[in-house]
Each structure stands twice: as C-alpha cells, then as structure tokens.
Amino acid sequence: MISFFEEFFEFQKKIHQTVFSWLPFSIGDIIYILLGIILLYSLIALYKKTNRSTSLLRILIIVNIFYFTYQIFWGMLYFQTPIIKKLSRQDPPELNRAKKLALQYLEKCKATRTLVHEDHNGIFVVTNLKAVQQEILFQQTRLPQYISNKKVTQILSIKPSLFKNVMNFTGILGYYNPFTAEAQYNSKLPHTFIPFTTAHESSHQLGFAREQEANFIGYLIGIHSNNPDLKYSTEYFTLKSLLRFIVEEDPEFVKSVIQNYSPGMKRDRAYEKSFILRHQGWLDDFFGFTNNVFLKSNQQEGSVTYSYFIDLLLNYEK
C-alpha cells in the first residue's frame, strides 16, 4: 500500500507542478485563504440560532474532504522506509564524533563565508535566488541512488509564501503544500536561512515526508553544491544542528566553537538572533506547540529534536 501511495504521489505531483508552477504566486496559499473564509463563514452561521445543523454539516464535510485529500496526497508517505535503514551503518550518535564533525564544519563555514556577498552591514545576502533554486534541482539528480530513487521532475515550483509577515512570528521557515506540490519559503527570513530552507522544502517535493529526513536530503543537496550561497547556508545549518546536539552535554565546547566563528559568521549569527528576538511572542509559542503535536502524530520526533538528523548525518559521514 505504501508503494502504491508513493507512485500516486509521483503522478499527482507531476500534474500539479505542470499546472501550477508557471504562476508567480502560490495557488496553494490562495486555496488556504478561501478555505479559511469558508470555515469562518460556517462557524459564524453555526453560532447563530438558525441553520445550525446545516452549518455543522458543512464544517464536517469540509474537514473530512480536506483530511482525506491530505492523506492520499501526502500523509501516507510518513510510513515510508526510514532513510536510516538504507545506510550501511546505524550506530547511535557519538558525542566525540559530533564534536569532531562540528570542528570540521566550522572550518568549512569559515572558508565558504569568504565566497559569498554581504549587504552594507556586512550581513550575508543572497544575490541570485533563482540560481540557488536551479542548483537545487540539479543537485536533486545527483543524490545517491541507495538513499533516493525518487523521480526528479526538474520543474521549478518554489515560491515565496503569501503569509510571510505572519510567518515571521510563528517560527515557521517554510512549508510544502501537498495540494498543489508547491514548496513555500518565508522570503523575509535572514538570508542564512533561505537557501537551505528552500533545499529542505524541495526535499518534500521529492517525496520525503519526515522533517528530519528532509533536512538530511537538503544537506546532501547543499553540501556538494558549487553554488556558494547554497553551500554556506547548508554548512551553517549543519554546524548549528551539531552544536544544538552537543550543547546539553558540553556547553563549554559549544561556546568555544562560537567564539571561533569568523567575523562574517559572527555578524550573521547576531542578525539571526536579533531577528528571532524581534519576532518572539504568543504566536511563536502556539505554532511551536501545534507543530510539535503534528510531528508526533505523524511518526516523527518533536519539532525541537535534532537527534534523527544527527543520526543520519553521523552515519552518512562514516
């Protein structure tokens, strides 16, 4: 049954990308807006004393159709064979190995940071996002066959979200729309996030449903790239993930690594921190909680857990 849904995903993805990719805006976001308006109207009608049964029936029908469509288009892919089982080694993550790798990625980040552009404040900036997106499609074709045998459509359907201003306050960097096969990203993010977030969402387009597996595929896409923007964003994400894994066991090591960031990396980190602090609030807490519940209900770790990505990373690097 899982194989059937994998084939069905490839079928509907190709159709949806062919139909919707040429539009400069997200048709999936338009669908969400219309759905929200319909549900709001139904809830208002339900609150009124007249036609309550009709309004309730309308809400139940909409929710069931939405959920059923989501499951056949996307939800069943959470039951695919985990990538970790495709790797020859499946050792538990080792702290010392993670430290060694963190030091390697620190040096990689420092070297790649010298190749990218900066704005007038010395902050990393992507100058050609279209080139990054095209590079992501190219790197999808070069993924190891033993990890991914997914079909690459080579149709560019990566778009900025219409909800970018709200997303700033939710902690959501991007999302995949299973109803239109569009990959969305928040274009208001610090640019250190954008190339890797785009690679991550494009991994969902390939058919990798689990969040940390999409991180790993995004890592494979970016780490071997010749595009310095994509490469730096990926190396920086990998370094931060390793440090998050290490920090509870050895905070002094993490502090030492951060102190050894290059001046450009320190400016990028300071800008990321200021962006996050400016946009913290109840929406961030709410979406963090709901995302955590959603992930756990779909065979995944919680949203703040990076151990599965670290498992994949360390076993792959071995």
Side-chain angles (χ1 to χ4, degrees), residues 193-233:
F193 288 114
I194 290 178
F196 181 78
T197 296
T198 307
H200 170 99
E201 300 307 333
S202 80
S203 302
H204 286 317
Q205 283 182 314
L206 277 177
F208 292 95
R210 297 181 182 93
E211 285 300 307
Q212 299 306 331
E213 291 189 349
N215 276 342
F216 180 64
I217 298 300
Y219 158 81
L220 294 178
I221 287 172
I223 209 66
H224 300 297
S225 172
N226 292 320
N227 182 291
D229 293 341
L230 177 58
K231 192 175 181 66
Y232 173 62
S233 180

Side-chain angles (χ1 to χ4, degrees), residues 119-261:
D119 64 12
H120 62 280
N121 293 315
I123 309 299
F124 164 64
V125 62
V126 178
T127 56
N128 190 343
L129 187 56
K130 184 62 66 106
V132 170
Q133 295 172 350
Q134 293 291 351
E135 174 69 5
I136 287 170
L137 291 185
F138 173 68
Q139 289 297 330
Q140 285 180 351
T141 66
R142 304 184 68 185
L143 290 170
Q145 285 293 312
Y146 69 93
I147 291 176
S148 173
N149 58 357
K150 305 288 188 183
K151 297 174 184 177
V152 181
T153 62
Q154 290 296 291
I155 299 174
L156 188 60
S157 188
I158 302 171
K159 303 177 182 180
S161 172
L162 298 181
F163 308 122
K164 54 185 179 292
N165 291 322
V166 176
M167 288 172 71
N168 288 340
F169 295 92
T170 65
I172 298 172
L173 309 182
Y175 52 92
Y176 170 72
N177 192 311
F179 305 100
T180 58
E182 294 168 305
Q184 324 282 166
Y185 66 94
N186 178 4
S187 59
K188 295 289 188 179
L189 289 171
H191 283 208
T192 43
F193 288 114
I194 290 178
F196 181 78
T197 296
T198 307
H200 170 99
E201 300 307 333
S202 80
S203 302
H204 286 317
Q205 283 182 314
L206 277 177
F208 292 95
R210 297 181 182 93
E211 285 300 307
Q212 299 306 331
E213 291 189 349
N215 276 342
F216 180 64
I217 298 300
Y219 158 81
L220 294 178
I221 287 172
I223 209 66
H224 300 297
S225 172
N226 292 320
N227 182 291
D229 293 341
L230 177 58
K231 192 175 181 66
Y232 173 62
S233 180
T234 303
E235 289 172 346
Y236 192 41
F237 169 84
T238 306
L239 175 59
K240 289 187 292 184
S241 298
L242 286 163
L243 295 181
R244 288 189 189 104
F245 173 73
I246 296 167
V247 68
E248 289 189 10
E249 298 293 332
D250 195 342
E252 290 303 315
F253 174 85
V254 172
K255 188 181 297 184
S256 172
V257 171
I258 292 173
Q259 287 173 349
N260 281 284
Y261 277 16

Side-chain angles (χ1 to χ4, degrees), residues 58-74:
R58 185 190 298 119
I59 291 172
L60 291 174
I61 289 172
I62 291 171
V63 170
N64 275 275
I65 291 173
F66 181 82
Y67 182 71
F68 176 76
T69 307
Y70 166 82
Q71 287 296 338
I72 63 172
F73 279 4
W74 183 245

